[in-house]
Amino acid sequence: MQAAVDKADSLDLNDYTDNDAKAALPDALEAAKEVLADETASQEAVDEQTIALNDILMGLRRKADKSELNSILSKAQAVDTSEYTAASVATLKSAMNRALAIIDDKDMTEEDQPKVDRATRALASAYNALVPKSTSSSGSSSSGKGSTSVNIGNAYGAAGVVSASQSVAANAYVVSDTTVNFMLKRGQAYCFKMTVVNGNAMTPGFTAGNGDVLKTQFVAKIGNDYYYRVYATGTPGQSTGVYTTLPGQNAVKHCTVTVG
């Protein structure tokens, strides 16, 4: 019972969809704590409360991670569509409508994450493919925002690595939105935003030092911002560094992630 109580206490219910299990958890947790505190409680009472609490925990459904989709959508919503061709704007609006429908769906769980990721990639692709009116007549098919990354396949990198080859710029570097070491619970995911500075044509390789501890996944590219997700797959207590590497440069460590 103590293990079940500890697990329930550690949860942030904001991370879970609204259902009967989520609604019942607070009362079930309180009841279990009362039995734990009762030194005269029978084994039957302990077993009953343990089973009840574990059943509720099994019924919880973690929400799908929509943070990257929200971030890209905010950029897309800020676009002045009057500056771009009607065809490319139509594609963007279609992707935005799909993104909004997914964001508004409060019942999406981790099992629906592939749908969220597909919408994220589609929106990023449509954003990057916007064609300025001033260049459409010359046959250009690029907005100057940068083409969709070759990592758009959304696959785990070998040994936790996602990479690409581009031209070298000696003064280019990568800025991470996360530079503080942190803990990530086994089975959970976290998204990094890596911004390439002074290297518009360069795609950073994204690396977990130990691919058995973290798996990496490319999510999206918006201008010079690259979004990568890491999944904690290692054993609790294991740690590994997170690195980026620009073509022709040495790897740069941004932080250490420990599996909790």
Side-chain angles (χ1 to χ4, degrees):
M1 178 185 284
Q2 185 65 60
V5 168
D6 290 344
K7 180 176 181 180
D9 262 335
S10 69
L11 299 179
D12 183 350
L13 291 182
N14 291 322
D15 294 336
Y16 295 85
T17 60
D18 294 333
N19 62 8
D20 292 341
K22 180 178 177 179
L25 182 59
D27 288 341
L29 178 58
E30 184 62 30
K33 288 181 176 180
E34 289 179 0
V35 172
L36 275 178
D38 184 0
E39 296 181 356
T40 66
S42 66
Q43 187 61 50
E44 182 180 0
V46 172
D47 292 344
E48 181 181 345
Q49 289 298 329
T50 301
I51 292 172
L53 184 55
N54 278 324
D55 284 346
I56 288 173
L57 290 172
M58 290 291 290
L60 293 175
R61 295 291 179 267
R62 184 179 290 276
K63 294 177 180 178
D65 182 1
K66 303 177 184 178
S67 56
E68 299 94 334
L69 184 58
N70 273 301
S71 177
I72 297 170
L73 180 61
S74 66
K75 292 177 180 290
Q77 289 173 327
V79 169
D80 183 353
T81 56
S82 66
E83 298 179 358
Y84 300 93
T85 62
S88 64
V89 169
T91 300
L92 178 66
K93 288 185 175 180
S94 177
M96 289 173 64
N97 288 337
R98 175 59 177 159
L100 285 168
I102 287 180
I103 290 171
D104 289 341
D105 187 347
K106 307 303 181 184
D107 294 326
M108 297 189 80
T109 68
E110 284 182 316
E111 296 177 355
D112 299 306
Q113 192 64 49
K115 296 180 182 178
V116 178
D117 291 342
R118 285 195 294 271
T120 302
R121 295 195 301 273
L123 183 56
S125 179
Y127 180 91
N128 286 324
L130 282 171
V131 180
K133 290 179 178 178
S134 59
T135 63
S136 60
S137 60
S138 64
S140 171
S141 60
S142 171
S143 67
K145 294 175 181 292
S147 61
T148 302
S149 168
V150 296
N151 289 320
I152 204 68
N154 197 39
Y156 286 145
V161 179
V162 182
S163 62
S165 297
Q166 302 286 349
S167 60
V168 177
N171 61 341
Y173 60 96
V174 177
V175 176
S176 173
D177 68 340
T178 306
T179 57
V180 177
N181 299 337
F182 66 96
M183 181 174 291
L184 186 64
K185 290 184 180 179
R186 178 179 170 83
Q188 292 189 345
Y190 182 82
C191 185
F192 287 89
K193 180 177 80 171
M194 299 295 181
T195 302
V196 178
V197 181
N198 297 330
N200 291 340
M202 304 179 75
T203 299
F206 183 76
T207 308
N210 185 339
D212 292 330
V213 177
L214 294 177
K215 295 298 183 184
T216 64
Q217 185 182 49
F218 174 78
V219 177
K221 173 185 181 295
I222 296 292
N224 288 338
D225 294 334
Y226 295 80
Y227 296 83
Y228 298 93
R229 184 182 291 124
V230 297
Y231 294 86
T233 57
T235 302
Q238 287 186 307
S239 299
T240 189
V242 172
Y243 304 80
T244 57
T245 308
L246 288 173
Q249 298 185 9
N250 294 325
V252 176
K253 181 178 179 180
H254 296 282
C255 68
T256 295
V257 180
T258 300
V259 180

